[in-house]
């Protein structure tokens, strides 16, 4: 039993030695086949994009036209590819046949036939508008595809019964692409400007993930809150980038971490103030008037019957003779009647007066809280060893001063800046080895 078992291992090397020529032939055949395949692949023409984002009807018409012209093509996910050296020829041939022709205002060029109703004409025109707007929006770099839906009600002859138009835009973005607020606003205004009586707040933009990119009600509480949060985020990012860009040349890339919290006053206030300075008085004008009056002597004597008697008859004087009073005392008494004196003065003073009108807009910075973490200084010796050195107190104070100046530190405002020196944890990241490109990627092959 043991002799048979020892004979089996001795037969295996002999059997393998017999198969060695066969294995060599198989290897040579595989190498020849691979070489032939690579040669054929390298000689095959390279394909370039002819048209992309095509509808099925457009793709079918284009492939049929390319078959008639004898131009090879490939169709991949709504895109038609042709050999690179025949792209211009294919485009000129398709343009001569009016392709691609489906959708957009090209539908209006076709003869609708006899007896088409006004409703169908309006529907075709609206569909053409939607298609043209979708193509325009899809030409943006972050947008892969777009669809536009318009809701244009039939207007009434009565002004009170008029209803506003509305629109919705669906966007298919490229993987990893994102639209900022400015680009969304541009799409909204593009659609609103293309439709009569369509306001921007009646345009809704949604992406393929179901996120609402636009706010239909710009003045709503939710929209205002989103704008306030966006403003605070941009201010914080701006301050953080200032700190990192300032300290990176001094400490090295990746050795500074900064976080900023900004308290923003979002309420707007208006104030009107009028102040007077009573201490500073200046006479602007002065007016003085004096009035003196004397009245005639009144009746005198004891009241009674004698005083009520008529005077005695007089004597006629010759011409040129002045009459003389009988008693001088009575004449002086008559001449000296009552005297009234009135004096009046008016002075107008100019008082210091200050009128101030102040309007404080929303978005005022109330307080800043800045936190900065700095890694230790690292030096590499000749033998490859790394030595960490923490920052001295003087260096840390200089960095703190730079951070305060970078963010506009204001102690009266209650700002706070904290700078901490702490060693960062070193992650052992394995760098993958970059393999050489395959031979078929070599442009010389």
């Amino acid at each position: 039993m043991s002799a048979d078992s020892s004979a089996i291992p001795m037969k295996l090397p002999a059997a393998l030695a017999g198969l060695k020529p066969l294995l060599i032939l198989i290897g040579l055949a595989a190498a020849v086949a691979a070489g032939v395949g690579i040669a054929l692949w390298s000689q095959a023409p390279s394909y370039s994009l002819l048209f992309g984002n095509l509808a099925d009807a457009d793709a079918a018409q284009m492939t049929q036209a390319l078959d008639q012209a004898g131009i090879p093509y490939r169709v991949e996910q709504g895109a038609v590819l042709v050999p690179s050296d025949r792209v211009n020829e294919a485009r000129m041939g398709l343009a001569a046949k009016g392709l691609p022709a489906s959708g957009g205002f090209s539908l209006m060029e076709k003869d609708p036939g006899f007896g088409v109703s006004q409703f169908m004409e309006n529907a075709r025109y609206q569909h053409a508008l939607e298609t043209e707007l979708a193509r325009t929006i899809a030409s943006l770099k972050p947008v892969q595809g777009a669809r536009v839906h318009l809701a244009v009600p039939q207007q009434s002859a009565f002004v009170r019964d008029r209803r506003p138009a509305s629109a919705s835009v669906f966007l298919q973005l490229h993987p990893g692409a994102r639209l900022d607020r400015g680009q969304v606003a541009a799409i909204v205004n593009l659609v609103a400007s293309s439709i009569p009586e369509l306001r921007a707040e009646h345009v809704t933009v949604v992406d393929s993930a179901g996120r609402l990119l636009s706010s239909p009600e710009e003045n709503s509480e939710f929209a205002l809150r989103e704008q306030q949060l966006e403003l605070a985020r941009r201010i914080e990012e701006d301050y953080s980038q200032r700190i990192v860009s300032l300290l990176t040349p001094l400490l090295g890339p990746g050795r500074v971490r900064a976080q900023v919290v900004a308290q923003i006053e979002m309420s707007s206030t208006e104030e009107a103030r009028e102040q007077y300075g009573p201490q500073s008085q200046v006479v602007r004008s002065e007016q003085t008037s004096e009035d003196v009056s004397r009245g005639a002597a009144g009746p005198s004597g004891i009241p009674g019957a004698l005083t009520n008697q008529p005077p005695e008859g007089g004597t006629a004087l010759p011409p040129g003779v002045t009459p003389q009073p009988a008693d001088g005392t009575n004449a002086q008494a008559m001449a000296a009647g009552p005297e009234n004196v009135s004096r009046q003065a008016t002075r107008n003073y100019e008082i210091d007066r200050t009128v101030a009108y102040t309007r404080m807009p929303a978005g005022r910075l109330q307080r800043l809280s800045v936190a900065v973490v700095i890694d230790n200084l690292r030096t590499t010796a000749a033998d490859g060893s790394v030595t960490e050195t923490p920052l001295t107190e003087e260096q840390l104070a200089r960095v703190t001063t730079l951070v305060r100046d970078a963010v506009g530190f204001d102690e009266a405002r209650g700002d706070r800046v904290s700078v901490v020196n702490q060693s960062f944890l070193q992650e052992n990241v394995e760098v993958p080895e970059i393999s050489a490109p395959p031979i078929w990627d070599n442009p010389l092959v």
Side-chain angles (χ1 to χ4, degrees), residues 371-431:
V372 181
V373 181
I374 301 175
D375 191 11
N376 291 337
L377 299 178
R378 288 183 171 85
T379 56
T380 304
D383 56 354
S385 60
V386 179
T387 305
E388 293 188 5
T389 305
L391 273 70
T392 62
E393 294 294 335
E394 183 179 359
Q395 292 175 338
L396 201 60
R398 291 180 179 177
V399 171
T400 304
T401 303
L402 290 176
V403 173
R404 289 187 175 185
D405 293 341
V407 300
F409 179 81
D410 188 358
E411 187 175 359
R413 193 171 53 191
D415 295 350
R416 183 177 179 182
V417 176
S418 299
V419 180
V420 178
N421 176 213
Q422 185 67 34
S423 177
F424 290 178
L425 295 177
Q426 300 297 323
E427 299 180 358
N428 296 327
V429 180
E430 296 182 358
V431 179

Side-chain angles (χ1 to χ4, degrees), residues 225-306:
R225 181 174 178 83
E226 288 294 328
Q227 295 176 3
Q228 293 171 1
L229 293 177
E230 180 68 17
L231 175 62
R233 184 185 63 83
R234 285 188 298 175
I235 291 176
E236 293 172 354
E237 289 183 355
D238 181 64
Y239 280 118
S240 299
Q241 292 177 1
R242 287 186 190 180
I243 297 171
V244 174
S245 61
L246 179 64
L247 299 181
T248 297
L250 302 178
L251 304 174
R255 301 192 184 280
V256 180
R257 299 290 186 273
Q259 291 292 332
V260 179
V261 177
Q263 295 182 5
I264 309 297
E265 177 61 37
M266 296 302 178
S267 60
S268 59
T269 59
E270 296 183 2
E271 179 184 358
R273 184 174 64 254
E274 186 173 354
Q275 294 180 345
Y276 294 90
Q279 302 299 330
S280 57
Q281 299 181 1
V282 180
V283 178
R284 184 179 64 179
S285 62
E286 182 178 359
Q287 182 179 2
T288 303
S289 62
E290 183 176 353
D291 186 11
V292 180
S293 62
R294 292 183 177 90
S300 60
I302 301 173
L306 295 178

